[in-house]
Amino acid sequence: MDTSKIFNINSQKDFNAIAIEVYEIQYKQNKVYNEFCNYLNRTPDKVVTVEDIPFLPIEFFKSKKVICSNQSSKITFTSSGTTGSETSKHYVSDLTIYEESYLKGFSHFYGKISDYCVLALLPSYLERQGSSLIYMVDDLIKKSKHPESGFYLNDTKSLTEKLINLDKKGTKVLLIGVSFALLDLVENYTLNLEHVIIMETGGMKGRRKEMIREELHDILKTGFGVKQIHSEYGMTELLSQAYSKGNGIFETPPWMKILIRDTEDALSYQSKGKTGGINVIDLANVNSCSFIATQD
């Protein structure tokens, strides 16, 4: 299909129509998704609304090759996992779609990437192969075209000095980091930053005890001297990201939508204000599966 219309959605009506079109394409072309839909008896003649679309459990990305049959994989993104555990594999046939998704997604919420100096503190991701987050951040660093942009593995001293110097100059800075590494930094340094966006990507990755988001953000706000902590929500199995500018309230770009399913009935949805399992529609995943039931 013409993917340009995916990134030009400007109404709920557009989203719904394209979602149904993508579902029909993936039903026909994605063997794994086709078999799953047939098992649930959710064939195209029975799918009239977005709520009728079946969501593929995310576990299928660990055991099956989830890709449309007329596509060949150009790169395989893999999830992080503990030793011996099975990891998810996302077979991506067109990297230009991924690049368009994260660039337009970022600009939708934050403006042009060229307005920022991008600093990345992502040690656990840099230490392994196949991270979609590293692919995205590396490209954002390049497209920022700022001479000070770059990755930091474990050198928090140099990173802290750079943050202070850039902030004094009034430079707009995006510091994107994994939670445990950001905590490591503020345990050793206390800052008071005015022009820096601190964006956590979640995850202690076994390096620290897990904590609730409010506790994490309170510690980071105090340590960096900022009013809000931003967050990025992405997964190996997706090609789009949701962002929070504070308080853990996430927003999605126009081609991405979150639905909350009933944990007792996976084909039903919860009313607003109730908790449940997260279903994600990511229309950028047009060549794999756009309808994923997560474990979150």
Side-chain angles (χ1 to χ4, degrees):
M1 69 178 293
D2 178 10
T3 58
S4 64
K5 60 184 179 182
I6 289 173
F7 298 114
N8 287 295
I9 290 172
N10 53 30
S11 70
Q12 188 63 50
K13 183 180 178 181
D14 284 350
F15 181 93
N16 292 346
I18 294 172
I20 294 293
E21 182 180 354
V22 170
Y23 156 76
E24 291 175 349
I25 290 170
Q26 293 178 348
Y27 177 82
K28 292 175 184 175
Q29 298 181 1
N30 186 318
K31 183 175 182 292
V32 173
Y33 188 58
N34 175 277
E35 291 177 356
F36 178 73
C37 292
N38 288 340
Y39 178 78
L40 294 177
N41 197 25
R42 288 294 180 97
T43 50
D45 59 306
K46 295 181 175 66
V47 173
V48 179
T49 68
V50 170
E51 287 72 21
D52 297 329
I53 295 173
F55 283 75
L56 188 72
I58 203 166
E59 293 88 346
F60 277 74
F61 283 83
K62 292 183 178 181
S63 59
K64 306 288 184 181
K65 188 171 184 177
V66 183
I67 189 170
C68 289
S69 57
N70 63 339
Q71 303 291 328
S72 58
S73 174
K74 299 296 188 296
I75 191 171
T76 303
F77 291 129
T78 58
S79 64
S80 57
T82 56
T83 303
S85 68
E86 198 169 10
T87 58
S88 286
K89 294 180 177 63
H90 188 181
Y91 299 93
V92 178
S93 59
D94 190 344
L95 278 166
T96 64
I97 296 176
Y98 182 39
E99 291 164 1
E100 186 169 12
S101 178
Y102 63 65
L103 286 169
K104 287 192 172 178
F106 182 88
S107 65
H108 179 77
F109 294 109
Y110 293 100
K112 295 185 295 183
I113 190 61
S114 57
D115 291 339
Y116 293 86
C117 172
V118 181
L119 305 177
L121 186 61
L122 300 164
S124 58
Y125 292 92
L126 279 174
E127 291 161 357
R128 67 177 184 84
Q129 297 293 314
S131 167
S132 57
L133 177 63
I134 291 297
Y135 186 97
M136 177 183 79
V137 174
D138 181 59
D139 197 38
L140 292 178
I141 285 171
K142 291 171 181 172
K143 288 195 166 60
S144 74
K145 296 182 179 178
H146 195 286
E148 303 290 337
S149 290
F151 284 99
Y152 287 79
L153 186 55
N154 294 304
D155 189 1
T156 53
K157 183 176 186 294
S158 295
L159 175 57
T160 301
E161 291 171 354
K162 183 160 288 187
L163 284 169
I164 293 169
N165 290 333
L166 288 168
D167 196 59
K168 284 180 180 176
K169 295 175 185 176
T171 305
K172 286 177 69 175
V173 176
L174 170 66
L175 171 61
I176 182 166
V178 66
S179 299
F180 77 82
L182 294 174
L183 285 170
D184 287 347
L185 190 152
V186 298
E187 278 188 355
N188 294 299
Y189 306 95
T190 301
L191 305 173
N192 187 22
L193 303 172
E194 293 183 41
H195 308 285
V196 179
I197 292 173
I198 308 297
M199 182 181 289
E200 53 91 2
T201 65
M204 295 303 180
K205 307 301 179 187
R207 309 287 184 99
R208 285 173 170 264
K209 71 175 182 68
E210 294 291 337
M211 60 176 67
I212 60 171
R213 176 170 275 123
E214 290 82 356
E215 181 185 2
L216 169 67
H217 285 200
D218 284 345
I219 293 170
L220 295 179
K221 281 190 286 188
T222 300
F224 285 106
V226 295
K227 293 180 180 178
Q228 295 289 356
I229 299 297
H230 296 229
S231 303
E232 180 264 355
Y233 176 86
M235 294 189 296
T236 299
E237 301 83 0
L238 302 176
L239 291 184
S240 301
Q241 300 75 34
Y243 291 100
S244 166
K245 293 188 176 183
N247 302 317
I249 306 299
F250 284 86
E251 294 183 69
T252 59
W255 56 90
M256 185 181 185
K257 187 177 178 68
I258 305 294
L259 301 174
I260 305 301
R261 68 179 183 272
D262 189 331
T263 53
E264 300 298 322
D265 178 5
L267 298 178
S268 298
Y269 292 97
Q270 294 284 40
S271 56
K272 190 173 181 180
K274 290 191 174 182
T275 60
I278 295 176
N279 284 359
V280 181
I281 300 176
D282 180 9
L283 297 179
N285 262 6
V286 63
N287 293 327
S288 56
C289 184
S290 291
F291 313 98
I292 299 173
T294 78
Q295 293 176 316
D296 297 340

